[in-house]
Amino acid sequence: MSETIFTKIINREIPADIIYEDDLAIAFNDINPQAPVHFLVIPKKPIATINDIAEEDREVVGHLHFVAAKIANEKGFAEEGFRVVMNCNKFGGQTVYHIHLHVLAGKPLGWPPYQEGLKIE
Ligand code: AMP
């Protein structure tokens, strides 16, 4: 797959507000937050979409959730609650083709996400 902006963040080629890193994953604050807390947890391995997760990627993809919960605990919003979202392709609203868990917290969050008449270019 072609390199995305997230590979550049992993390689420190562009700046990001990195809040966590280990051998498999990195987490950084979203540049355009949609909640008081909004960060992304991504694998270091570039996997384009959920559809591209291979059998050998199962551990790393599970690890993203482990990291989300670990940060939620450390930041103190785990008990209050939060949401994790992974968008896939056009109808899912994916814009960066390197899988990432959105972690949103800090206020009650709305549901459902479907909006009548929503147009995607
Ligand atoms: P998605 O639309 O699910 O693919 O989400 C991509 C997310 O990446 C969006 O929430 C963007 O605000 C976020 N984003 C894009 N570029 C950057 C960046 N350089 N640093 C942090 N977050 C970014």
Side-chain angles (χ1 to χ4, degrees):
M1 66 175 262
S2 58
E3 194 175 272
T4 71
I5 197 163
F6 288 175
T7 296
K8 291 185 169 42
I9 288 174
I10 293 165
N11 294 335
R12 308 301 202 274
E13 289 162 13
I14 61 162
D17 189 8
I18 294 169
I19 58 172
Y20 176 88
E21 183 167 18
D22 63 26
D23 288 350
L24 295 176
I26 189 165
F28 51 90
N29 284 319
D30 197 292
I31 205 166
N32 183 23
Q34 301 300 313
V37 174
H38 184 182
F39 59 86
L40 306 174
V41 187
I42 75 170
K44 287 190 170 171
K45 176 178 177 181
I47 302 166
T49 79
I50 295 177
N51 297 330
D52 301 298
I53 296 169
E55 197 154 346
E56 71 262 22
D57 299 327
R58 289 183 303 176
E59 186 179 339
V60 71
V61 174
H63 183 66
L64 302 180
H65 291 80
F66 175 81
V67 169
K70 180 178 165 63
I71 297 172
N73 257 302
E74 286 171 5
K75 287 190 176 287
F77 62 80
E79 290 311 314
E80 205 165 46
F82 60 99
R83 181 168 299 159
V84 296
V85 176
M86 190 180 282
N87 298 324
C88 182
N89 278 338
K90 185 172 155 185
F91 275 20
Q94 184 172 8
T95 58
V96 179
Y97 283 79
H98 178 139
I99 59 167
H100 46 281
L101 267 193
H102 292 262
V103 181
L104 300 135
K107 284 271 169 67
L109 300 165
W111 192 265
Y114 174 67
Q115 296 159 33
E116 191 63 48
L118 181 67
K119 296 272 191 297
I120 297 174
E121 287 163 26

